[in-house]
Amino acid sequence: MKARSKKHILNFKRPSGTSRGILTQKETWFLILEENGKFGIGECGLLRGLSVDDVDGYEDKLQWTCNHISLGAETLYEELEDFPSIQFGVEQAFISLESNNAFELFTSHFTSGESTIPINGLIWMGDAVFMHEQIQQKLEEGFSCIKMKIGAIDFNKEIELLESIRKRYSKEDIELRVDANGAFGPKEALEKLQILSSFDLHSIEQPIKQGQYLEMKRLCEESPLPIALDEELIGVFDTTEKKRLLQTVRPHYVILKPSLIGGVKGSEEWIALANEYNIGWWVTSALESNIGLNAIAQWTFTLNNPMPQGLGTGSLFTNNFECPLTVKDGQLGYGKDKYWETNLIERLCT
């Protein structure tokens, strides 16, 4: 078996804002396996500034992985504990290699085009006009669940946006989620959550920065608005530590980003613990290309979670790869008349 890695820079169609800054590009890596004329591919979705494996030795670890690919998926996974995005790339690549179709990792009614996955429409941060335009577009596209990133512009303007949505659409018409990406300070957070709760929001993701367990515990106890942990899960690898986090904070939901928390295996461990403590959960992609998004979507479908998932659509980038994934009426599906780019894996090998 041979293995190689390939760097790819995804270019945003439009600069996209988060509370951590403006994104114009997204770096990602592909792990490509070849054995007896067959190929397997996995995406190592590194997210600079957020991934715990955003370290100087990342490329060296990728090369080490390629050099030791004969160790096999399970052993490599254990050796790569501090590199969750590479763990996920390894998982994908080995499943892909063993599949009859390199891009069909989890065969189901989703991959056959018979069933779809409900997803939320994502509203990126920007000025009020831009955010209003996005909201209107998502509603016209048939989304019944919208996730709005907040914390980058004036809070009062964000409140005005939410108020304008609720004047037109009730919670029965549109489910609203907000994501603060840790933008609130611990002292101001509860007051802001109380204000936000007046708009019948489904939940808020990560109101304060991760690592403040006791502050987050207090917020989860006192907030009138359900709280979901997102960044809080990043870098927590040990099962005992995962249990301590959930037992201490007692969030209403946890958000699972496979590229950031150890792929399928890491995510399923969080799911098992969340179910044990009666904590809700859903899956979210993290700006992967269509190769990584495809793997996440196929796996997500097998989980049978009826909630809208936070799966991207691949439409953010100018240089993504053509694939069968489609979005219609707020549902992510697999188009029967759409295909992957011809010889995509071989092309990435050059």
Side-chain angles (χ1 to χ4, degrees), residues 121-137:
L122 180 59
I123 307 301
W124 286 90
M125 290 177 176
D127 60 39
V129 173
F130 174 55
M131 294 181 77
H132 254 305
E133 289 174 351
Q134 292 179 86
I135 292 168
Q136 187 59 41
Q137 180 182 355

Side-chain angles (χ1 to χ4, degrees), residues 117 283-284 295-305 309 311:
I117 303 170
V283 178
T284 300
I296 295 171
Q298 291 184 25
W299 166 70
T300 298
F301 182 82
T302 69
L303 302 175
N304 297 313
N305 185 334
Q309 306 296 298
L311 301 180

Side-chain angles (χ1 to χ4, degrees), residues 77-78 81 84 87 91 233 235-246 254-258 261-281 283 299 303:
Y77 186 94
E78 297 302 323
E81 181 180 67
Q87 285 181 316
E91 286 181 322
L233 310 188
V236 183
F237 305 126
D238 181 71
T239 303
T240 301
E241 182 61 20
K242 290 178 181 180
K243 289 181 178 180
R244 187 176 80 85
L245 168 59
L246 296 183
V254 291
I255 313 301
L256 309 165
K257 293 179 176 174
I261 60 173
V264 170
K265 184 176 180 180
S267 298
E268 290 185 346
E269 184 170 44
W270 278 112
I271 289 172
L273 292 173
N275 290 339
E276 182 179 341
Y277 300 129
N278 295 314
I279 295 169
W281 55 269
V283 178
W299 166 70
L303 302 175

Side-chain angles (χ1 to χ4, degrees), residues 5 47 54 85 168 185 201 238 256 265 270 288 331 343:
S5 62
L47 196 54
D54 178 15
S85 66
R168 184 172 178 182
L201 303 184
D238 181 71
L256 309 165
K265 184 176 180 180
W270 278 112
E288 295 85 1
Q331 300 279 328
N343 299 323

Side-chain angles (χ1 to χ4, degrees), residues 53-111:
D53 46 9
D54 178 15
V55 295
D56 290 339
Y58 188 84
E59 294 183 39
D60 292 336
K61 202 65 178 181
L62 265 175
Q63 187 58 54
W64 179 91
T65 302
C66 292
N67 294 342
H68 294 82
I69 204 68
S70 61
L71 291 174
E74 291 186 15
T75 300
L76 283 172
Y77 186 94
E78 297 302 323
E79 292 289 332
L80 292 164
E81 181 180 67
D82 295 333
F83 293 83
S85 66
I86 305 180
Q87 285 181 316
F88 189 31
V90 165
E91 286 181 322
Q92 294 171 59
F94 273 92
I95 297 172
S96 171
L97 182 67
E98 294 165 5
S99 173
N100 291 327
N101 177 342
F103 295 107
E104 189 169 317
L105 282 66
F106 300 90
T107 301
S108 68
H109 289 304
F110 177 75
T111 54

